[in-house]
């Protein structure tokens, strides 16, 4: 027996119903804010992620599903959606004609991580990206849209965490000072943070290790390094969030795990998910398009983990009251049955039946078992008269109708 790969999952029945519900909900909410869907390939050149997500990040340095294809190209199963969407935007040359674009996407992503609750090697994201606008009102609006999407899934107990990373220059200065601060207490830091000191000191800031947290208490604060423009941008974003009625908490240690961010970053966390608490996360990435293609176009976006959203959503939203219809027939009336079912399906009516019908009572038992609202009986008499006996299960009432009348009743 060959099993599904570690960290991956088959999805069916309720899992798929939840996925469809999440995607439909996102579509409804995002469309209202002016977004259209984009579909990009799952496989991209490895270089795209190295240059956008960043060589030193965990995602690129440890977690990529990268390999050589048969043409000796280095390719990677996308670990996230932003890089591919940015590539598509640049490749289409949209920045030259109509630079403002709002796109959303959904689909599978791949990260070779240690699987645990809420963390998989194949997972799905639903994300949104906006190109061509730098405006604190947009940043607030994007966060509001993320909140509205999660609220429409019936998710409660969420906290919006917010921070500003400033621009690349101020962050560079901050990183230098942070490194100096870390160097003075390196022997007291966890092994993980020691490693991060060399390659990605910012990430050490959000270490979960209690000892590290103690050490970082008096670490320099990123906010103090922001230039005036970034500070004002951050303050304006917060003001607009307040106007939009979005509650948030500032988390000065929120630095995100991908390198492309500047200024606004945010994460929406749940109190019900344990260690993998972030359901939706994103931020502004005004320099990414310049890094990839020397194009000065600002951008912002977010992505939500669909598995995490599915774990948190209100399942009662899935219960649609579906009236079940069961068709009873016999070998002698099979052709009449087939034609009747055809007509019903043409009118959009879903029916249940047995492919190998047994006795009348066995079929009625099945109808009862699936909680059928109506039973359609297609016996020899009905066939002769070209009618259908319609029985309402709850009351036991039954009467003969022609098919047109049956369709009218069932469609009511
Ligand atoms: P991210 O924080 O790496 O950001 O991922 C976004 C969300 O995807 C996470 O908050 C989480 O819900 C989900 N996620 C990530 N890794 C896993 C995993 N291994 N298993 C299950 N769920 C996972 C990004 O990917 C950015 N591209 C977001 C963005 C869009 N920023 C700007 N635009």
């Amino acid at each position: 027996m060959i099993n599904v790969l570690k960290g991956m999952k088959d999805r069916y029945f309720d899992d798929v119903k939840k996925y469809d519900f999440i995607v439909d909900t996102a579509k409804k909410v995002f469309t209202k804010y002016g977004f259209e869907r984009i579909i990009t390939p799952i496989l991209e050149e490895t270089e795209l992620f190295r240059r956008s997500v960043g060589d030193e990040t965990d995602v690129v340095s440890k977690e990529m599903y990268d390999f050589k294809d048969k043409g000796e190209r280095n390719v990677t199963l996308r670990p996230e959606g932003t890089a591919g969407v940015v590539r598509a935007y640049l490749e289409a040359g949209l920045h030259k004609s109509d630079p403002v674009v709002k796109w959303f996407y959904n689909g599978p992503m791949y990260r070779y991580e240690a699987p645990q609750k809420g963390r998989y090697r194949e997972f799905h994201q639903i994300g949104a990206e906006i190109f061509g606008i730098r405006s604190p009102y947009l940043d607030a609006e994007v966060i509001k849209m993320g909140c509205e999407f999660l609220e429409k899934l019936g998710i409660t107990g969420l906290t919006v965490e917010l921070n500003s990373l400033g621009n690349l220059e101020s962050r560079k200065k901050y990183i230098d000072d942070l490194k100096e601060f870390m160097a003075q207490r390196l022997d007291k830091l966890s092994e993980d943070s020691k490693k991060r000191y060399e390659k990605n000191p910012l990430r050490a800031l959000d270490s979960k290790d209690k000892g590290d947290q103690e050490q970082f208490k008096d670490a320099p604060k990123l906010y103090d390094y922001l230039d005036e423009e970034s500070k004002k941008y951050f303050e304006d974003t917060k003001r607009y969030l307040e106007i939009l009625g979005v509650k948030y908490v500032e988390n000065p240690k929120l630095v995100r795990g991908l390198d492309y961010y500047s200024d606004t970053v945010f994460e929406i966390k749940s109190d019900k998910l344990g260690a993998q608490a972030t359901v939706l996360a994103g931020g502004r990435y005004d320099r990414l398009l310049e890094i990839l293609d020397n194009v000065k176009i600002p951008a912002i976006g977010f992505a939500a983990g669909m598995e995490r959203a599915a774990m948190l959503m209100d399942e009662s939203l899935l219960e649609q009251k579906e009236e079940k219809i069961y068709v009873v027939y016999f070998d002698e009336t099979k052709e009449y049955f087939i034609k009747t079912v055809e007509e019903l399906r043409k009118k959009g009516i879903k029916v249940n039946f047995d492919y190998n019908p047994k006795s009348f009572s066995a079929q009625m038992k099945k109808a009862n078992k699936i909680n059928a609202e109506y039973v359609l009986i297609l016996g020899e008499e009905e066939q002769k008269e070209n009618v259908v006996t319609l029985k309402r299960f709850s009351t036991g009432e039954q009467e003969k109708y022609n098919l047109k009348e049956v369709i009218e009743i069932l469609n009511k």
Side-chain angles (χ1 to χ4, degrees):
M1 172 65 195
I2 298 167
N3 294 316
V4 71
L5 288 169
K6 186 174 170 189
M8 307 207 177
K9 237 182 114 182
D10 299 312
R11 294 169 172 94
Y12 38 80
F13 301 145
D14 271 5
D15 271 353
V16 173
K17 282 195 190 133
K18 285 187 193 171
Y19 270 44
D20 289 346
F21 187 83
I22 293 170
V23 174
D24 288 348
T25 306
K27 270 188 195 161
K28 272 190 210 137
V29 175
F30 297 176
T31 311
K32 204 174 67 180
Y33 283 82
F35 284 75
E36 286 182 42
R37 192 153 82 104
I38 177 170
I39 303 173
T40 64
I42 291 168
L43 201 60
E44 296 274 3
E45 268 190 43
T46 300
E47 191 59 16
L48 175 67
F49 302 110
R50 294 174 60 124
R51 284 175 51 198
S52 50
V53 176
D55 263 335
E56 304 298 349
T57 59
D58 284 354
V59 171
V60 170
S61 65
K62 299 187 201 156
E63 297 167 1
M64 295 224 290
Y65 277 89
D66 47 356
F67 56 95
K68 272 196 194 321
D69 73 3
K70 292 194 198 306
E72 292 294 302
R73 294 173 205 92
N74 291 311
V75 292
T76 294
L77 292 176
R78 63 181 181 195
E80 56 99 57
T82 308
V85 172
V86 170
R87 182 201 47 67
Y89 176 91
L90 291 168
E91 203 165 331
L94 297 174
H95 53 288
K96 292 178 209 149
S97 50
D98 210 351
V100 177
V101 173
K102 291 178 166 186
W103 272 331
F104 76 94
Y105 53 91
N106 65 281
M109 311 286 157
Y110 299 84
R111 294 185 193 176
Y112 198 86
E113 295 192 80
Q116 54 168 266
K117 185 183 163 204
R119 189 162 80 189
Y120 312 98
R121 288 181 177 173
E122 183 190 65
F123 60 99
H124 295 73
Q125 280 185 346
I126 186 143
E129 317 289 349
I130 301 109
F131 299 97
I133 305 166
R134 178 172 167 87
S135 146
Y137 169 57
L138 172 67
D139 295 24
E141 194 188 62
V142 164
I143 298 172
K144 159 94 184 178
M145 183 173 90
C147 292
E148 191 177 326
F149 160 54
L150 298 176
E151 275 159 20
K152 287 262 156 42
L153 299 176
I155 301 178
T156 54
L158 295 173
T159 307
V160 177
E161 291 190 4
L162 185 70
N163 195 18
S164 172
L165 299 179
N167 58 33
L168 286 187
E169 291 70 37
S170 48
R171 197 152 73 246
K172 217 176 261 160
K173 170 98 181 55
Y174 174 71
I175 290 172
D176 288 346
D177 286 5
L178 181 67
K179 273 189 102 165
E180 208 179 300
F181 173 86
M182 286 173 78
Q184 287 158 14
R185 39 190 63 73
L186 211 51
D187 52 329
K188 299 197 183 83
L189 294 178
S190 69
E191 285 311 309
D192 263 357
S193 289
K194 272 183 202 147
K195 272 188 222 146
R196 287 188 160 144
Y197 165 76
E198 283 300 338
K199 300 204 156 163
N200 201 351
L202 264 189
R203 281 314 298 262
L205 269 187
D206 69 353
S207 164
K208 305 277 175 294
D209 183 280
K210 289 263 174 313
D212 285 349
Q213 286 173 5
E214 187 59 34
Q215 290 301 321
F216 280 113
K217 251 185 177 163
D218 300 320
K221 305 249 175 319
L222 183 51
Y223 186 84
D224 299 332
Y225 289 72
L226 304 188
D227 64 15
E228 284 314 306
E229 201 270 335
S230 281
K231 269 188 186 156
K232 179 163 183 338
Y233 195 93
F234 190 34
E235 295 308 318
D236 285 347
T237 302
K238 289 190 281 184
R239 194 159 55 84
Y240 290 125
L241 279 172
E242 276 147 35
I243 295 172
L244 289 171
V246 177
K247 291 205 172 67
Y248 63 88
V249 291
E250 271 183 66
N251 176 358
K253 294 193 169 138
L254 181 70
V255 291
R256 307 279 300 124
L258 317 166
D259 274 358
Y260 46 61
Y261 295 108
S262 52
D263 289 308
T264 314
V265 287
F266 56 93
E267 294 198 356
I268 305 183
K269 294 184 176 163
S270 161
D271 57 5
K272 301 183 182 81
L273 282 176
Q276 303 304 316
T278 306
V279 197
L280 184 152
R284 184 159 275 289
Y285 48 95
D286 287 351
R287 290 290 297 276
L288 179 56
L289 283 82
E290 199 178 341
I291 291 166
L292 287 177
D293 199 24
N294 218 9
V295 166
K296 280 202 166 75
I297 291 280
I300 180 170
F302 68 69
M306 289 188 43
E307 284 74 10
R308 295 184 195 173
M311 284 159 85
L312 294 168
M313 70 169 278
D314 175 359
E315 292 182 13
S316 73
L317 293 171
L318 296 177
E319 285 164 21
Q320 296 162 334
K321 224 181 140 324
E322 187 193 332
E323 289 200 335
K324 293 209 172 101
I325 299 159
Y326 196 86
V327 187
V328 170
Y329 69 104
F330 307 95
D331 286 338
E332 296 74 19
T333 60
K334 188 140 194 169
E335 269 185 38
Y336 185 50
F337 153 79
I338 293 172
K339 286 182 187 150
T340 307
V341 168
E342 268 295 292
E343 286 307 311
L344 291 168
R345 284 183 177 153
K346 265 189 210 155
K347 298 290 183 227
I349 295 168
K350 178 185 162 191
V351 291
N352 301 274
F353 54 83
D354 193 339
Y355 280 90
N356 296 302
K358 299 188 183 72
S359 69
F360 179 76
S361 63
Q363 292 186 68
M364 289 304 272
K365 253 193 208 157
K366 264 211 169 151
N368 196 16
K369 202 170 154 200
I370 67 156
N371 266 327
E373 179 80 13
Y374 290 104
V375 178
L376 305 187
I377 302 164
L378 304 178
E380 282 183 284
E381 209 179 291
E382 283 85 357
Q383 178 168 262
K384 237 184 266 154
E385 296 171 26
N386 200 23
V387 292
V388 174
T389 297
L390 180 76
K391 182 181 170 101
R392 185 181 265 275
F393 223 90
S394 54
T395 58
E397 289 165 52
Q398 67 174 63
E399 209 170 316
K400 282 181 186 162
Y401 297 99
N402 67 39
L403 194 57
K404 203 167 154 242
E405 291 167 327
V406 169
I407 289 168
E408 268 170 28
I409 296 171
L410 296 180
N411 266 335
K412 253 185 209 158

